[in-house]
Amino acid sequence: MHRLLLIDDDEALAGPLTQYLARFDLQLEAVTRPSIALTRLAAERFDALILDGMLPEMDGFEFCKQLRASSEAWRDMPVLMLTARGDLTDRVVGLELGADDYLPKPFEPRELAARLQTILRRTRFVSAAAPSVVQPSAKLCFEGLEIDTTRREVLCASGLVELTGTEYELLVMLAREPGKVFSRDDILNRLRGQEAELFTRAVDILVSRLRRKLEPLVALKTLRNAGYCFALPGKP
């Protein structure tokens, strides 16, 4: 059973949601303040966070930003953001700050369960695919960039590049097939494990975030009305 931490100051939400998610082997625990959440995260293991956008002490967007900038374990933890404000700006901000998915309130519990199962399944797949012994073949080497798929590390001339789990997965997916063009729907379906919801802007934001972290390298190329491809030449 996966353990989930809900951070939401709506105390009436936790009880019914806990009962509903238990049907899907999802064990939900809830806190109402970010400070309490940080204490729980430091002391216990959770498989994913459900994070409300509007919170006391700090909003969910700032909490997500701090989470992604903190310890390695928290950087890769799946985060699904909830908010009563469902406009595009909030969705863009949440994804830019490192959220893995986004669901506006009010929402159907079944959709929440499906989205959680998707990001948890993707996380399990990545963990299971990582070999336990370091092998030379596990490294993808390019001019100015090296990806160690065993350690899940990305190195460039300036040192280690800190990526979220989704950013890393996107980079590896493109780098394994240099020059191949992936459409936005291809990327959404490969990373999310489900059909895209017409929110292809999420891919543009993810690519933009990854590009900034890889600068000054020009590793990702945009093909107008087609998608993206990996553009760095391999090491001779």
Side-chain angles (χ1 to χ4, degrees):
M1 180 174 284
H2 291 285
R3 294 186 70 207
L4 312 175
L5 183 62
L6 169 67
I7 310 170
D8 195 316
D9 60 343
D10 181 0
E11 297 182 10
L13 180 64
L17 206 54
T18 298
Q19 294 181 3
Y20 185 84
L21 292 178
R23 302 180 193 177
F24 303 92
D25 290 329
L26 300 172
Q27 178 185 334
L28 183 69
E29 300 179 36
V31 297
T32 57
R33 293 180 176 274
S35 58
I36 303 173
L38 291 172
T39 300
R40 294 289 301 275
L41 287 169
E44 305 172 53
R45 178 184 174 276
F46 291 92
D47 298 299
L49 297 182
I50 305 172
L51 177 62
D52 188 38
M54 301 295 290
L55 291 168
E57 300 178 343
M58 72 176 77
D59 64 31
F61 302 104
E62 179 62 26
F63 185 90
C64 185
K65 180 181 178 181
Q66 292 189 17
L67 191 79
R68 292 312 193 204
S70 58
S71 72
E72 183 175 351
W74 295 357
R75 278 200 301 270
D76 290 334
M77 181 177 293
V79 174
L80 188 150
M81 290 200 69
L82 303 173
T83 181
R85 300 178 302 176
D87 62 20
L88 178 61
T89 300
D90 280 351
R91 283 184 283 173
V92 169
V93 170
L95 291 164
E96 284 183 331
L97 293 176
D100 294 275
D101 207 346
Y102 187 101
L103 190 59
K105 292 180 177 178
F107 58 86
E108 289 293 331
R110 184 64 187 92
E111 182 178 3
L112 175 63
R115 289 175 177 272
L116 288 168
Q117 288 174 320
T118 295
I119 61 176
L120 289 167
R121 183 167 58 246
R122 175 169 53 78
T123 303
R124 286 200 308 272
F125 174 80
V126 171
S127 298
S132 57
V133 179
V134 177
Q135 301 173 359
S137 59
K139 291 186 178 181
L140 303 173
C141 299
F142 305 92
E143 290 187 8
L145 186 72
E146 181 177 286
I147 306 169
D148 189 327
T149 60
T150 300
R151 294 189 172 91
R152 289 175 59 84
E153 291 182 347
V154 177
L155 298 170
C156 65
S158 59
L160 187 67
V161 182
E162 299 289 353
L163 301 178
T164 67
T166 307
E167 291 165 354
Y168 172 82
E169 290 168 39
L170 172 61
L171 178 61
V172 171
M173 182 182 76
L174 298 177
R176 286 193 186 280
E177 299 182 76
K180 177 179 177 179
V181 179
F182 290 84
S183 71
R184 291 169 176 82
D185 283 348
D186 289 337
I187 294 171
L188 276 173
N189 293 337
R190 291 276 291 271
L191 294 185
R192 303 295 183 190
Q194 62 185 24
E195 290 301 313
E197 292 186 350
L198 304 180
F199 185 30
T200 54
R201 173 65 174 152
V203 174
D204 299 331
I205 295 165
L206 181 60
V207 170
S208 176
R209 240 166 45 197
L210 182 55
R211 274 184 172 142
R212 286 199 300 269
K213 292 185 177 183
L214 295 176
E215 288 177 349
L217 294 174
V218 183
L220 307 182
K221 182 179 179 181
T222 301
L223 288 90
R224 188 176 180 86
N225 298 323
Y228 301 98
C229 70
F230 188 82
L232 288 180
K235 277 188 177 179

